[in-house]
Amino acid sequence: MQHYYEKYSTTPMVWLVRVILKPLLKVVILSFLLYLIISAFFLKTFKIESDSMLPGLARMNRVLATPLSYGSKLPFLSSRLPGLTKPQYGDLVICTPPYYPAGNSLFNTFEPLVRFLTLQKAAPHRNPGRGSNTRYMIKRIIGLPGDTIKLEAFTAYVKPQSKDRFYSEKELISPGYEIRIEVMPEAWQSDFPLTGNMEEITLKENEYFLLGDNRMKSNDSRSWGPLLFSRIDSRVFYRYWPFNQSEKL
């Protein structure tokens, strides 16, 4: 009696695609979709890469931020959902400076994918100047819409819309935070540049005044003016790295 055997074979490339690459691609796609949902609506992580928020936040610190507070932005769109609250005095926020291109630029559209594939290498801060490609910064909200703001020796004084006098930022913001101000040379005069003085400005509707805690090394509203609410992305609420400094912010 003769026996016949059927023989099946496949090339190594076909086997690689079927057994390894296709399942791996499915895992990557599902992971990206999960990441997109979480980061767009609930939680984001950022790495600090400048000294502008010293002494509170240092280089290489990592923080958690939530877009839920002010309203999650819909992926690939310019609209956002209603938020749980409005920005308040002292809030630490992730924001986009006004000189960064607005709208749906190519980078903005594919940014979630870029952040996913680079393991969150898109950082909130890289000492940007005008013309920089850096999209995100971390700053502290000092003034709200309708407030009148002035600066004297790097300290902000705020006259809320409903008040008739100025309050120092420390009177309005609690819990407290430290401001880093370097000592000026003895002969440095108050009308010289970089003395931390600013004449009064009044914020319009949907405008916020943001400053870094390290006043002499921060690119903020002193140089690019009030920031529109649409450019505030999320509220920073926790530092998780380094672990020995983890705390609520």
Side-chain angles (χ1 to χ4, degrees), residues 100-239:
Y100 188 90
N104 294 321
S105 67
L106 184 63
F107 180 80
N108 289 355
T109 301
F110 291 99
E111 187 214 5
L113 180 60
V114 172
R115 289 177 62 82
F116 175 74
L117 295 177
T118 60
L119 301 177
Q120 296 284 2
K121 291 299 183 182
H125 222 322
R126 295 189 184 185
N127 289 326
R130 295 189 183 277
S132 168
N133 289 325
T134 301
R135 183 179 185 185
Y136 292 117
M137 293 181 168
I138 178 171
K139 300 296 174 189
R140 189 181 301 277
I141 293 180
I142 302 297
L144 306 179
D147 288 354
T148 300
I149 315 285
K150 65 179 180 179
L151 266 72
E152 296 178 1
F154 294 102
T155 298
Y157 293 87
V158 183
K159 183 171 71 173
Q161 190 173 22
S162 59
K163 304 295 182 179
D164 57 1
R165 73 175 183 91
F166 282 91
Y167 298 82
S168 71
E169 56 185 287
K170 293 298 184 70
E171 292 180 276
L172 292 175
I173 299 174
S174 60
Y177 56 95
E178 289 187 56
I179 298 173
R180 173 168 288 188
I181 302 173
E182 296 179 10
V183 178
M184 288 294 189
E186 185 176 348
W188 203 264
Q189 299 179 19
S190 61
D191 57 346
F192 285 1
L194 305 177
T195 51
N197 298 320
M198 187 188 77
E199 296 182 357
E200 296 180 12
I201 64 168
T202 300
L203 303 178
K204 300 176 183 178
E205 184 179 4
N206 292 324
E207 287 186 343
Y208 294 82
F209 195 85
L210 281 65
L211 294 176
D213 292 348
N214 190 1
R215 295 290 158 86
M216 297 186 70
K217 296 182 179 179
S218 176
N219 179 26
D220 49 37
S221 287
R222 292 171 298 170
S223 58
W224 34 257
L227 192 71
L228 292 175
F229 173 69
S230 60
R231 288 183 171 266
I232 297 177
D233 180 83
S234 49
R235 182 177 65 85
V236 178
F237 68 94
Y238 196 80
R239 171 170 48 195

Side-chain angles (χ1 to χ4, degrees), residues 88-100:
Q88 303 295 325
Y89 294 116
D91 284 0
L92 286 173
V93 299
I94 302 298
C95 62
T96 302
Y99 55 78
Y100 188 90

Side-chain angles (χ1 to χ4, degrees), residues 2-3 32 51 61 68 75 79-80 125 149 155 163 183 236:
Q2 291 182 328
H3 296 279
F32 172 66
D51 297 326
N61 283 185
L68 280 175
S79 56
R80 66 197 305 167
H125 222 322
I149 315 285
T155 298
K163 304 295 182 179
V183 178
V236 178

